[in-house]
Amino acid sequence: SEPYTWERDIYPIFQQYYHLYPAMRGILNLSDYNSVTTYQNLNLLRYSMSLNFTDPNYMPVTRDISPSKQQMILDWLDNPIRNITQMSFLTPDSDDSIYDHSP
């Protein structure tokens, strides 16, 4: 199956949360690919979406996301492709913000 992409799969979900919870904008702009895909934010999202459903830090706080959508987002966080055309040239060696270039 085709990998999930920001533009086709993730953005529509995150855009909705961006509008529903404007207080989050100062912490994380869920409507902006570059904001979501910083090393820190990818890890924060992965962590908070992987917590036990009853954990107060679980995201989304409304607990209104389906298990299949949650899994799709978690899968995408491991391989944050922006769009289909990007897939052909993105590698961990490329100069792109989605990869951690720290030592």
Side-chain angles (χ1 to χ4, degrees):
S1 79
E2 217 172 74
Y4 301 116
T5 69
W6 169 260
E7 291 178 0
R8 183 189 62 222
D9 305 300
I10 307 303
Y11 176 76
I13 297 167
F14 280 8
Q15 176 74 2
Q16 178 182 6
Y17 286 108
Y18 172 80
H19 288 295
L20 288 172
Y21 305 103
M24 281 288 296
R25 294 177 192 172
I27 300 167
L28 171 62
N29 181 347
L30 288 171
S31 73
D32 181 64
Y33 175 83
N34 292 324
S35 176
V36 170
T37 58
T38 66
Y39 181 73
Q40 179 181 349
N41 287 340
L42 285 172
N43 286 322
L44 176 66
L45 287 165
R46 188 178 298 110
Y47 171 76
S48 63
M49 293 189 79
S50 298
L51 292 170
N52 185 298
F53 189 76
T54 59
D55 191 295
N57 293 312
Y58 176 86
M59 187 177 145
V61 297
T62 54
R63 281 115 173 112
D64 61 350
I65 196 165
S66 71
S68 62
K69 282 186 180 180
Q70 178 183 10
Q71 188 58 56
M72 177 182 65
I73 293 168
L74 288 169
D75 290 346
W76 178 82
L77 290 169
D78 289 335
N79 187 23
I81 297 170
R82 186 174 195 144
N83 58 47
I84 296 300
T85 58
Q86 182 187 29
M87 290 169 36
S88 62
F89 63 86
L90 252 186
T91 67
D93 297 327
S94 66
D95 187 24
D96 196 291
S97 66
I98 66 169
Y99 290 102
D100 175 28
H101 295 288
S102 63

